[in-house]
Amino acid sequence: MSTTPAINQHWPEQGGIYIGSRLIDGQVHHIIIPGGTDFDHADIPFSRVELVVAEGDELNGFSDWRAPDKEDLMLAYINAREHFDTDGWYWSRTPEGGNWAWAVVFEYGDTYYSYRDNEFRVRPVRSFPASAI
């Protein structure tokens, strides 16, 4: 049985850094990032955000990594921004109608929608129900 670490601490049993918990479909989930910028996919258009993560290899012993949604990235900014490129933008997998999608810039924590043709970074995340531990 694993014990939840403090926020922004390494959680070896879960494959990365614990950035906090949030509600997903009405259930509390723990959110993990695999580590720092070495795990970023760079220069990715929105159309490839989910594919580039799905095509990736197993990370830190886990294969259930996914593209982050807007809320995951805001949690990362609040609790673990030092693990992200503060000069760059990160795509979420959250669309915003038409030709737009949500992205976060870690320098200021701003969340904006941007043209889907822009190329930004993508950091995988994994989540699991808190009740699973």
Side-chain angles (χ1 to χ4, degrees):
M1 169 103 35
S2 181
T3 303
T4 307
I7 289 175
N8 201 14
Q9 297 301 306
H10 191 66
W11 196 351
E13 299 89 353
Q14 297 301 333
I17 298 167
Y18 176 56
I19 64 168
S21 59
R22 69 180 195 88
L23 287 178
I24 299 176
D25 296 329
Q27 190 174 22
V28 175
H29 278 69
H30 293 306
I31 310 297
I32 308 292
I33 58 172
T37 56
D38 291 347
F39 294 94
D40 288 350
H41 300 278
D43 304 322
I44 305 299
F46 183 77
S47 63
R48 298 222 4 103
V49 166
E50 293 195 63
L51 292 172
V52 74
V53 174
E55 292 170 349
D57 295 327
E58 183 178 280
L59 295 176
N60 300 340
F62 291 88
S63 59
D64 61 346
W65 299 92
R66 62 175 173 77
D69 56 28
K70 179 173 58 169
E71 291 82 359
D72 293 325
L73 290 177
M74 291 309 302
L75 187 66
Y77 174 77
I78 292 165
N79 291 330
R81 66 181 161 267
E82 66 272 16
H83 299 288
F84 289 79
D85 178 2
T86 57
D87 292 329
W89 288 76
Y90 284 80
W91 276 126
S92 77
R93 64 182 179 159
T94 309
E96 178 55 37
N99 292 320
W100 304 92
W102 288 99
V104 172
V105 61
F106 275 78
E107 183 175 5
Y108 305 110
D110 293 336
T111 303
Y112 293 110
Y113 52 90
S114 183
Y115 284 112
R116 293 180 184 200
D117 290 340
N118 288 333
E119 294 182 350
F120 298 144
R121 292 175 173 267
V122 177
R123 173 81 56 87
V125 300
R126 63 183 301 266
S127 61
F128 56 91
S131 61
I133 59 167

